[in-house]
């Protein structure tokens, strides 16, 4: 199974084909009872990292215990980067097979999603220490799990710890990134090592960091004794150092570190945001230390001499030429010939505006295309009308302008429109190159212009950052592109990122291809329609909690508890981990107390397992102790399934045990034969129409391009979403 084969089939199918081919005793399900040893799994994983990156839970759910174990260990060995929706369902699969106790052989990110109530008390330290090596940002949609991890870690420390010691910090790892500022200030100075692993620091955490550094008790010592090596060791955390501290650093050390940081930025090892924050703080310190303020007066002629090509290749360029001097000393000829080295410097915003103004004087009719590829860091400063003067004929120019993280909504739409105006087309290659996030900023017309074949070839793009204003067109385009998928598994795999997108106002029955969106049509508040979610309920897709939290909350209100538990399947236990998420909490509030009790939940989302994250205020020094599993259990017993119903979830065994056909009769019959409560408002069946019978007949896909998978049977025509009167 080479790269070509992997590119032509779904990752899940490729995985199963390989496992089947390497089993010596095929059974009815296509797997051997002999199992798959870890060494062979590692060998396959090293050759097929891209397939593991696209790991899909549905095929893996069919694996025997030993094969799943080898697969997870192979992921740890190869350090395969998995996303939150992959990790959450994989954690539940591992727990279902009793593999959670092998956590030391599993990827640290996977441990973040494990059921903490199943961690044995004797493993508390080892589990927390490994989990603390993971990326906490993966738990963005599981706020209660994130808080529970922090509380569990503090519980491992025993008695309340108002001051975190060096050994405490070694255990807590990245979990310190969720600590409030007062706890960070009071911690052992070696807390710097923990903070280096944080994606970003809040304003109060930044203040706490600078307080620690100013105290002089860290490994760097007092600011006056800092050296280049120590500052480099801080990594990106040095970009948070305040200007008041830079004023205390020896000038030679400060200059050397400034030059080193610019070089790191130019090499692509420091983000533009971090580099600009550092430069701004450092220049403020330099400005404050200048005794004569006349040198920085506005309109002052060039003081340090004209800027030349050699000047621009000096990493200390910004220390010699502030933004006022940049205006005075940079000539048009040097700018045209050296635009690239100039923009390789992390220019402050004020300096960027100076360069943009100079370019406008040099190119009054618009920046030429060969220069456009060099100004990616300036694109966000340009208006629609200014971009309208550009000539964009090459796909490479589009990629260069939009590959940067600074182009915003107006710029993205305008750049693409100029390309389309010159007979350009949005191909799958272009979509893949600029990334799914750029779909967020295309106009509805531009999205509609993408051919379904190109959208299909681009695959399931990551559109998690899209604003609601673009999601309607994306959902429609995804339905058009992926509706002819060969089976339910492939359809769900491709449509999964778009299930949280809104359904446009249509006048045809839902599963059919929608007509062009009328300009007067009003959109519902977003989310996959009830019909599609109910289809997925019967298809037993076991939706991951990350996707579930992105569903439209109003549509979710139309689903019964039985619908939700069946839709989530083996992942239903993750509701507890996300019960404070707005989508989950709003659904829980719509349920009565008895149903909440059956789910083992309550209406209060402010309990100890769902505390809101806070980085300010006084720390809670009383650790909450999760119910750790006892260590005196039978050695041969499997651990309970994380994400499967615990013993007290009395409602769930019924949903799990009943055949899917009977579940359909129970769950689909709720609204009644003549109405459907999609989008939170009931719509009557058309006159003479037949009520929905999605449970009738065999589930399958409708053939033909552009048609979505749907249960066989007639669906009533829906009325359009009502427009507000004004």
């Amino acid at each position: 199974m080479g790269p070509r084969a992997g590119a032509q089939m779904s990752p899940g199918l490729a995985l199963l084909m390989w496992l089947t081919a390497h089993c010596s005793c095929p059974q009815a399900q296509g797997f051997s009872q002999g199992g798959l040893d870890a060494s062979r799994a590692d060998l396959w994983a090293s050759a097929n990292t891209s397939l593991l990156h696209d790991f899909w839970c549905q095929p893996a759910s069919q694996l025997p215990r030993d094969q799943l174990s080898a697969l997870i260990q192979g992921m740890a060995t190869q350090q395969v980067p998995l996303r939150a929706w992959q990790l959450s369902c994989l954690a539940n699969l591992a727990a279902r097979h009793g593999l959670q106790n092998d956590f030391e052989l599993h990827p640290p990110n996977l441990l973040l999603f494990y059921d903490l109530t199943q961690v044995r008390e004797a493993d508390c330290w080892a589990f927390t220490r490994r989990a603390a090596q993971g990326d906490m940002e993966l738990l963005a949609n599981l706020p209660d799990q994130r808080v529970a991890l922090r509380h569990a870690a503090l519980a491992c420390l025993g008695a309340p710890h108002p001051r975190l010691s060096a050994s405490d910090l070694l255990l807590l790892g990245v979990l310190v990134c969720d600590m409030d500022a007062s706890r960070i200030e009071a911690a052992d100075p070696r807390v710097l090592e923990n903070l280096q692993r944080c994606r970003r620091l809040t304003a109060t955490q930044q203040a706490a960091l600078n307080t620690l550094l100013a105290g002089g008790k860290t490994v760097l010592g007092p600011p006056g004794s800092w050296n280049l090596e120590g500052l480099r060791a801080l990594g990106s955390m040095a970009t948070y150092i305040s200007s008041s501290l830079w004023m205390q650093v020896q000038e030679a050390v400060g200059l050397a570190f400034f030059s080193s940081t610019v070089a790191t930025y130019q090499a692509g090892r420091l983000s533009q945001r971090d580099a600009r924050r550092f430069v701004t703080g450092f220049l403020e310190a330099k400005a404050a230390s200048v005794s004569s303020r006349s040198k920085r007066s506005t309109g002052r002629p060039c003081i340090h001499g004209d800027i030349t090509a050699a000047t621009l290749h000096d990493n200390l360029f910004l220390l010699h030429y502030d933004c006022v001097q940049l205006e005075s000393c940079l000539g048009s000829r040097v700018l045209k010939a050296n635009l690239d080295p100039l923009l390789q410097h992390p220019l402050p915003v004020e300096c960027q505006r100076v360069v943009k103004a100079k370019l406008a004087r040099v190119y009054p009719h618009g920046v030429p295309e060969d220069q456009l590829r060099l100004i990616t860091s300036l694109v966000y400063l340009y208006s629609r009308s200014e971009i309208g003067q550009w000539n964009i004929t090459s796909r490479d120019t589009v990629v260069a302008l939009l590959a940067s993280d600074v182009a915003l909504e107006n710029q993205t739409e305008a750049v693409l429109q100029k390309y389309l105006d010159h007979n350009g087309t949005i191909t799958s290659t272009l979509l893949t190159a600029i990334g799914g996030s750029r779909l967020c900023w295309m106009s509805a017309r531009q999205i509609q212009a993408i051919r379904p074949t190109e959208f299909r070839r681009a695959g399931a793009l990551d559109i998690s950052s899209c604003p609601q204003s673009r999601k309607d067109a994306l959902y429609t385009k995804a339905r058009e592109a992926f509706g002819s998928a060969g089976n339910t598994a492939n359809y769900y795999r491709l449509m999964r990122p778009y299930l949280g997108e809104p359904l446009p106002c249509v006048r045809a029955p839902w599963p059919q291809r929608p007509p062009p969106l009328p300009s007067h049509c009003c959109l519902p508040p977003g989310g996959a329609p009830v019909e599609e979610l109910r289809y997925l309920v019967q298809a037993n897709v076991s939706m991951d909690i990350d996707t579930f939290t992105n569903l439209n909350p109003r549509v979710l209100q139309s689903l019964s508890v039985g619908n939700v538990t069946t839709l989530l399947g083996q992942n239903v236990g993750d509701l507890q981990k996300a019960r404070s998420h707005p989508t989950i909490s709003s659904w829980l509030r719509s349920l009565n107390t008895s149903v909440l009790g059956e789910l083992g939940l309550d209406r209060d989302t402010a309990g100890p397992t769902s505390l809101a994250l806070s980085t300010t205020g006084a720390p809670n020094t009383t650790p909450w102790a999760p119910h750790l599993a006892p260590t005196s259990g039978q050695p041969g017993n499997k651990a309970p399934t994380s994400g499967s119903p615990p013993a007290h979830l009395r409602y769930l065994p019924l949903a799990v045990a009943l055949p899917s056909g009977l579940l359909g009769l129970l769950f689909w019959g709720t609204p009644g034969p003549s109405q459907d409560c999609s989008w939170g408002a009931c719509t009557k069946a058309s006159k003479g129409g037949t009520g929905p019978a999605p449970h009738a007949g065999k589930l399958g896909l409708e053939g033909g391009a552009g048609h979505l998978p749907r249960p066989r049977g007639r669906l009533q025509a829906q009325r359009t979403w009502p427009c507000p009167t004004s």
Side-chain angles (χ1 to χ4, degrees):
M1 193 177 74
R4 177 181 294 272
Q8 293 177 346
M9 66 181 70
S10 71
L13 178 59
L15 172 60
L16 288 180
M17 286 182 63
W18 182 86
L19 290 170
T20 302
H22 287 74
C23 290
S24 57
C25 302
Q27 305 296 317
Q29 295 177 326
F31 300 104
S32 73
Q33 293 190 3
L36 178 69
D37 61 85
S39 61
R40 296 173 74 184
D42 287 346
L43 180 63
W44 179 81
S46 62
N48 297 275
T49 303
S50 62
L51 289 179
L52 287 178
H53 177 76
D54 292 327
F55 168 80
W56 190 251
C57 271
Q58 284 183 315
S61 65
Q62 304 175 46
L63 296 179
R65 184 181 189 275
D66 53 354
Q67 293 175 359
L68 181 64
S69 176
L71 184 66
I72 294 175
Q73 293 179 35
M75 290 176 171
T77 302
Q78 298 300 320
Q79 298 182 346
V80 178
L82 296 178
R83 285 166 286 183
W85 65 269
Q86 296 169 309
L87 289 163
S88 63
C89 63
L90 181 58
N92 293 332
L93 282 179
R96 188 174 72 181
H97 287 281
L99 297 175
Q100 186 166 306
N101 290 339
D102 299 331
F103 61 84
E104 292 184 297
L105 302 175
H106 296 174
N109 284 340
L110 185 59
L111 273 63
L112 300 177
F113 293 83
Y114 278 154
D115 184 355
L116 302 181
T117 64
Q118 301 304 318
V119 178
R120 295 178 300 188
E121 189 172 1
D123 293 334
C124 181
W125 271 75
F127 180 89
T128 301
R129 185 168 182 176
R130 184 155 182 82
Q133 300 173 28
D135 180 6
M136 293 291 289
E137 298 301 317
L138 290 167
L139 297 176
N141 285 332
L142 298 179
D144 301 273
Q145 178 74 354
R146 186 162 181 163
V147 174
L149 275 166
R150 183 179 55 175
H151 285 316
L154 293 176
C156 281
L157 299 178
H161 276 56
R163 183 180 186 275
L164 298 174
S165 66
S167 59
D168 296 338
L169 294 170
L170 189 63
L171 171 70
L172 294 174
V174 74
L175 298 177
V176 170
C177 299
D178 281 350
M179 301 294 179
D180 54 49
S182 58
R183 187 173 284 254
I184 291 175
E185 283 186 31
D188 183 277
R190 274 170 280 196
V191 71
L192 292 183
E193 298 176 16
N194 300 70
L195 295 177
Q196 282 181 280
R197 301 173 58 186
C198 303
R199 289 275 191 94
R200 61 187 62 85
L201 299 180
T202 66
T204 55
Q205 287 175 329
Q206 293 176 38
L209 168 65
N210 280 282
T211 299
L212 276 172
L213 293 173
K217 295 182 179 180
T218 68
V219 66
L220 274 73
S225 65
W226 290 358
N227 55 48
L228 178 61
E229 183 180 358
L231 287 170
R232 283 177 173 172
L234 289 178
S236 62
M237 193 167 56
T239 65
Y240 291 106
I241 296 177
S242 65
S243 57
S244 60
L245 288 185
W246 283 123
M247 292 178 63
Q248 303 176 41
V249 177
Q250 297 179 35
E251 183 178 10
V253 174
L255 294 178
F257 184 69
F258 189 96
S259 177
S260 174
T261 302
V262 171
T264 301
Y265 167 73
Q266 293 173 343
R269 298 194 300 272
L270 187 65
S271 71
Q272 186 174 80
R273 180 188 60 190
D274 290 342
R276 189 176 295 166
R277 179 173 55 243
F278 162 73
V279 167
T280 300
F282 196 95
L283 292 181
E284 287 177 358
K286 178 177 179 294
S289 65
V290 175
S291 56
S292 174
R293 304 185 66 86
S294 61
K295 291 185 178 182
R296 298 182 55 84
S297 298
T298 303
R300 187 79 175 175
C302 184
I303 296 176
H304 296 289
D306 291 339
I307 296 173
T308 64
T311 307
L312 293 173
H313 284 86
D314 182 1
N315 286 347
L316 299 179
F317 164 73
L318 288 175
L319 294 181
H320 302 310
Y321 295 88
D322 59 21
C323 299
V324 174
Q325 287 296 295
L326 183 66
E327 169 66 40
S328 302
C329 304
L330 180 61
S332 299
R333 183 180 302 176
V334 175
L335 174 63
K336 291 176 63 176
N338 298 276
L339 183 59
D340 185 43
L342 170 62
L343 295 181
Q344 288 295 316
H345 292 275
L347 301 177
V349 176
E350 182 185 352
C351 293
Q352 288 183 324
R353 295 187 184 279
V354 170
V355 175
K356 176 179 177 287
K358 285 183 172 291
L359 285 173
R361 291 194 290 268
V362 173
Y363 303 111
H365 301 295
V367 181
E369 186 164 12
D370 62 328
Q371 297 284 72
L372 288 178
R373 302 178 188 181
L374 304 178
I375 66 168
T376 56
S377 61
L378 304 180
V379 174
Y380 78 102
L381 294 174
Y382 284 84
S383 66
R384 284 176 180 267
S385 59
E386 289 172 325
I387 294 176
Q389 295 181 303
W390 298 350
N391 287 318
I392 303 177
T393 62
S394 168
R395 185 191 69 187
D396 293 338
T397 304
V398 177
V399 172
L401 290 172
L402 300 185
S404 172
D405 60 354
V406 295
L408 303 177
E409 177 178 5
N410 291 339
Q411 291 79 20
T412 299
E413 183 178 339
V415 166
L416 283 171
Q417 195 57 49
K418 289 299 296 183
Y419 177 60
L420 294 175
D421 290 345
H422 286 85
N423 298 320
T425 57
I426 302 177
T427 63
S428 59
T429 304
L430 178 59
L431 288 173
T432 304
I434 63 178
S437 62
R438 288 299 168 195
L439 283 169
C440 306
W441 305 117
M442 294 183 188
S443 68
R445 180 173 295 182
Q446 289 172 345
I447 294 173
Q448 185 62 31
I450 304 173
R451 296 172 182 170
T453 53
E454 299 296 337
F455 201 88
R456 189 158 51 245
R457 287 169 183 164
L461 299 169
D462 182 8
I463 59 170
S464 57
S465 60
C466 286
Q468 196 66 44
S469 60
R470 291 298 185 272
K471 291 182 176 180
D472 55 326
L474 290 173
Y475 183 82
T476 306
K477 180 58 64 175
R479 284 170 49 200
E480 185 180 2
F482 304 133
S484 59
N487 54 58
T488 304
N490 280 340
Y491 169 75
Y492 177 64
R493 179 175 63 86
L494 294 169
M495 280 295 296
R496 186 202 61 79
Y498 306 96
L499 290 178
E501 321 310 327
L503 177 71
C505 179
V506 298
R507 302 187 183 277
W510 163 72
Q512 299 176 5
R513 179 186 298 181
L517 186 64
S519 59
H520 66 275
C521 187
C522 298
L523 296 174
V530 169
E531 291 88 350
E532 178 159 1
L533 294 183
R534 286 174 175 164
Y535 167 74
L536 295 176
V537 167
Q538 286 204 335
N540 296 319
V541 296
S542 291
M543 180 179 288
D544 62 274
I545 193 68
D546 204 64
T547 301
F548 185 79
T549 56
N550 285 317
L551 296 177
N552 178 3
R554 287 190 63 180
V555 173
L556 194 58
Q557 303 298 321
S558 301
L559 296 181
S560 67
V561 174
N563 287 149
V564 170
T565 54
T566 307
L567 180 64
L568 292 172
Q570 66 182 19
N571 303 314
V572 69
D574 289 339
L575 287 172
Q576 177 69 29
K577 302 174 184 177
R579 60 199 306 268
S580 293
H581 189 282
T583 298
I584 306 298
S585 62
S586 65
W587 179 68
L588 292 177
R589 286 194 297 270
S590 70
L591 304 178
N592 59 48
T593 305
S594 61
V595 173
L596 288 172
E598 290 170 347
L599 287 172
L601 302 171
D602 54 56
R603 199 177 303 277
D604 180 19
T605 58
T609 62
S610 57
L611 296 173
L613 288 179
S614 173
T615 55
T616 60
N620 180 7
T621 56
T622 304
W624 168 79
H627 300 287
L628 299 176
T631 59
S632 57
Q634 297 298 325
N637 291 347
K638 292 184 178 181
T641 302
S642 173
S644 294
H648 59 274
L649 301 187
R650 298 186 299 276
Y651 184 93
L652 302 185
L654 176 63
V656 173
L658 289 177
S660 60
L662 184 54
L663 283 174
L665 289 172
L666 291 175
F667 299 151
W668 284 70
T670 304
S674 62
Q675 62 180 352
D676 172 56
C677 296
S678 60
W679 302 336
C682 295
T683 56
K684 298 291 184 182
S686 59
K687 185 176 181 180
T690 303
H695 54 275
K698 183 178 180 180
L699 288 176
L701 294 179
E702 293 292 338
H707 288 277
L708 291 179
R710 57 169 172 168
R712 300 190 185 278
R714 298 175 61 189
L715 291 177
Q716 77 277 23
Q718 293 182 350
R719 288 186 290 179
T720 58
W721 185 259
C723 296
T725 57
S726 59

